[in-house]
Amino acid sequence: MSRRVSRRGTTKLSFAARFRRDRVMLLMVLPGFLYFVVFHWLPIPGNIIAFEDYQPYLGFIDSVWVGLDNFAAAFAEPAFWLALRNTLVITLMQLLLFFPVPIALALLLNSIMSPGIKKFVQSVIYLPHFLGWVIIISIFTQILGPTGVIPNLLESMGLPRVSPMTNPDTFPLLVTLQVIWKDAGWGTIMFLAALASIDDELYEAAAVDGAGPWRRTWAITIPGIMPIVILLLILNLGSALSVGFEQIILQRNNVGAEAGEVLDTYVYYHGIVDGQWGTAAAVGLVKGVVGLFLVLGANKVAHMFGQDGVYSRDR
């Protein structure tokens, strides 16, 4: 095994030695790495069409360069600002209502003493994550749709027939509840791992000092999972303007474009349906840039409060 001595006198493995040592772990992460390479990194040069009057039959090279005209055209459309408003409303609602739910679920699961009950509850709340949005929307439609169980029950009780699936005013809340039902259980995995890393001796010492369950939670549990909470919050901000294309487009016609149009559906209808490739790419590029600045800004704020965030600050 190849080794070399660093300036501090410690022995350091060569790259080839570390590669051989970690080859199994590297093989495990290879599929995920290839996914990001193929679907996220290789398409990056395609953002050039945001600055062109792109025509598919001409390609990137022969399409006419228009500079910032596509951005100006998008910003001049009322439909863009409507989609941006709806996106921000749904994003804010999901941040306030969805993000705390996995944390609360993880704390509740961590308090269950019986391993059998804990595994059963985990299996139940993980299951919706593996269902497609088509199935989930169908389930919600059968319950809350115009002919669903809840409207029929209200009518049978002599109450007004209400259909949340077709009400534009409740659409952001409905979308958020669907996300909570689908992904809240799955989101507990990271928090449960963080809870498992907390030293049990801390709880024992606190109990000896007379700290009750709530005091131990606030003094030990919450600080123990705070780094992962900050990390996931920052990463979620990176996709703040992406609120779920498939979920939204399946319900957009139920409430109309005024309530159901978001930036993802705006890009689809203008880019693919209407053939305004340059304008749609400009909106997508704006989403990416805004997400980048949100991550960097939130990470800076985390550093100000003594947290590492996504990456540690230089010391």
Side-chain angles (χ1 to χ4, degrees):
M1 184 175 291
S2 178
R3 300 173 182 267
R4 63 187 179 87
V5 179
S6 65
R7 294 180 178 179
R8 296 182 179 181
T10 58
T11 303
K12 185 176 182 181
L13 294 176
S14 66
F15 174 79
R18 284 185 283 120
F19 181 84
R20 287 193 299 269
R21 182 193 63 187
D22 300 330
R23 59 185 180 276
V24 176
M25 297 296 295
L26 293 174
L27 185 62
M28 292 179 61
V29 302
L30 181 61
F33 175 76
L34 292 178
Y35 165 79
F36 281 100
V37 169
V38 174
F39 294 103
H40 290 270
W41 297 341
L42 289 181
I44 287 178
N47 285 313
I48 193 175
I49 69 176
F51 305 94
E52 296 179 337
D53 182 15
Y54 177 72
Q55 301 299 328
Y57 57 86
L58 293 178
F60 299 123
I61 299 177
D62 295 328
S63 294
V64 179
W65 183 269
V66 297
L68 299 177
D69 288 353
N70 289 325
F71 295 88
F75 295 156
E77 288 190 19
F80 167 79
W81 296 106
L82 177 64
L84 178 62
R85 184 200 67 183
N86 293 336
T87 302
L88 293 176
V89 170
I90 295 175
T91 296
L92 181 61
M93 189 163 292
Q94 291 184 357
L95 186 64
L96 295 177
L97 299 182
F98 170 75
F99 189 78
V101 174
I103 303 175
L105 280 176
L107 293 174
L108 290 174
L109 286 172
N110 191 61
S111 65
I112 297 177
M113 302 301 295
S114 173
I117 297 177
K118 180 181 294 187
K119 290 181 179 179
F120 173 76
V121 174
Q122 285 179 294
S123 300
V124 171
I125 62 177
Y126 288 173
L127 181 61
H129 174 77
F130 300 99
L131 300 178
W133 276 115
V134 174
I135 298 176
I136 291 177
I137 300 305
S138 299
I139 294 174
F140 271 79
T141 301
Q142 294 298 320
I143 298 175
L144 300 175
T147 59
V149 175
I150 299 301
N152 289 337
L153 180 62
L154 292 175
E155 187 178 39
S156 65
M157 297 173 61
L159 299 174
R161 192 180 186 89
V162 178
S163 174
M165 294 290 293
T166 57
N167 188 347
D169 296 331
T170 61
F171 183 70
L173 179 60
L174 175 68
V175 170
T176 303
L177 293 177
Q178 291 169 353
V179 173
I180 292 175
W181 187 77
K182 184 178 188 297
D183 289 328
W186 185 255
T188 61
I189 293 177
M190 295 290 291
F191 299 111
L192 286 173
L195 289 170
S197 66
I198 300 176
D199 192 350
D200 290 336
E201 293 182 358
L202 295 175
Y203 292 105
E204 295 173 0
V208 170
D209 291 339
W214 284 107
R215 182 60 181 173
R216 293 196 296 269
T217 299
W218 285 108
I220 300 175
T221 305
I222 299 300
I225 65 173
M226 189 56 63
I228 193 66
V229 171
I230 297 298
L231 174 63
L232 292 180
L233 179 59
I234 294 174
L235 293 178
N236 284 340
L237 288 176
S239 58
L241 297 183
S242 298
V243 290
F245 169 76
E246 185 180 1
Q247 178 193 10
I248 301 296
I249 202 170
L250 288 170
Q251 305 175 88
R252 179 178 178 273
N253 293 335
N254 294 339
V255 295
E258 185 173 353
E261 188 80 293
V262 295
L263 289 179
D264 289 335
T265 58
Y266 175 89
V267 168
Y268 168 74
Y269 283 108
H270 283 70
I272 297 178
V273 177
D274 296 339
Q276 299 180 22
W277 308 98
T279 303
V283 175
L285 185 58
V286 169
K287 283 179 51 184
V289 172
V290 171
L292 174 63
F293 279 104
L294 285 176
V295 169
L296 294 177
N299 199 72
K300 183 65 175 178
V301 173
H303 290 170
M304 294 171 60
F305 285 92
Q307 299 291 335
D308 287 338
V310 177
Y311 56 87
S312 300
R313 57 184 175 182
D314 295 330
R315 298 186 185 275

